[in-house]
Amino acid sequence: MRGAFTSLAAADLDADGVPDFAGADRFTGNARIAVLDRSAAVRSEGDLPAGLLPSGAVVGRFDEGESPDLAVACSGSSQVAIFLNDGRGTFSEAGRPATIARPRCLAAGGLDGDACADLVVLSDGGLVLNYGLGGGTFGSPVAQPADQGGRYVDIAVAYAGGEGVMDLVALDAIGAAARSTDRDRRRWRHSWSRWNSRN
């Protein structure tokens, strides 16, 4: 894969047990897909029109299929492009859900406990959550309050709290903060749990 990549994600895109790659190329405005064979050689490669200045790419199951789909944040066009996987590593555009202006970073995971991955979208202006509705569609963006007025530089979705509920983890200059949902889902706890990266 060649290009001026701002992000790269690895996942088995064609269900052959071999990790493949998807990335965002900021110069062309494309998402690039590379499907590998068992020798790790590129078997097929393709471009998907994402938008102006794509700056983040993430994989997740955004529809009811078993194969990972792709979301690309485009800060120049203030869009997130969603591409659905047909299970063989071929993608088609599903839409561009409303989101925060100038998105630059994405994370995906099941934050509300259903079968479709949700999107966490980060920009210089804040952090929003788009809940997955199925079929590659998403609900309206839900703004997330910052911890101590921090400006986040990166985000992730993971099981950080040990309670069997996925957490939202955000990183800023001080350290990291995690915020998890209550067990009835879609209701966020009001406080962030913070730990210092220097500890």
Side-chain angles (χ1 to χ4, degrees):
M1 285 177 81
R2 295 181 180 179
F5 293 103
T6 51
S7 67
L8 194 64
D12 183 5
L13 301 177
D14 59 347
D16 66 352
V18 177
D20 307 300
F21 294 99
D25 185 336
R26 62 189 174 130
F27 287 154
T28 64
N30 292 330
R32 303 209 71 199
I33 305 294
V35 177
L36 309 184
D37 62 22
R38 295 195 178 275
S39 69
V42 175
R43 179 164 54 84
S44 65
E45 194 170 3
D47 291 335
L48 303 168
L52 185 61
L53 298 178
S55 52
V58 69
V59 293
R61 292 179 180 170
F62 302 134
D63 62 4
E64 293 72 22
E66 292 297 317
S67 301
D69 307 304
L70 178 66
V72 181
C74 300
S75 59
S77 50
S78 290
Q79 295 176 320
V80 174
I82 306 297
F83 300 96
L84 298 184
N85 187 351
D86 68 355
R88 299 184 299 271
T90 301
F91 291 79
S92 59
E93 185 174 337
R96 296 171 186 261
T99 190
I100 197 167
R102 302 185 63 79
R104 59 179 172 80
C105 186
L106 299 173
L111 292 168
D112 59 355
D114 63 15
C116 296
D118 309 303
L119 276 178
V120 184
V121 187
L122 176 67
S123 81
D124 290 337
L127 184 68
V128 300
L129 230 156
N130 288 84
Y131 287 105
L133 303 178
T137 63
F138 292 84
S140 299
V142 179
Q144 299 300 303
D147 172 59
Q148 300 176 3
R151 179 180 178 274
Y152 298 122
V153 295
D154 205 359
I155 50 174
V157 172
Y159 290 102
E163 299 177 349
V165 178
M166 294 201 88
D167 301 298
L168 168 59
V169 182
L171 178 69
D172 62 19
I174 299 172
R179 193 163 189 249
S180 63
T181 55
D182 290 323
R183 292 200 176 273
D184 61 353
R185 315 291 184 178
R186 293 201 183 192
R187 285 184 52 197
W188 286 86
R189 294 177 180 169
H190 295 296
S191 62
W192 290 78
S193 300
R194 174 168 284 279
W195 63 93
N196 194 308
S197 60
R198 297 178 183 87
N199 292 342

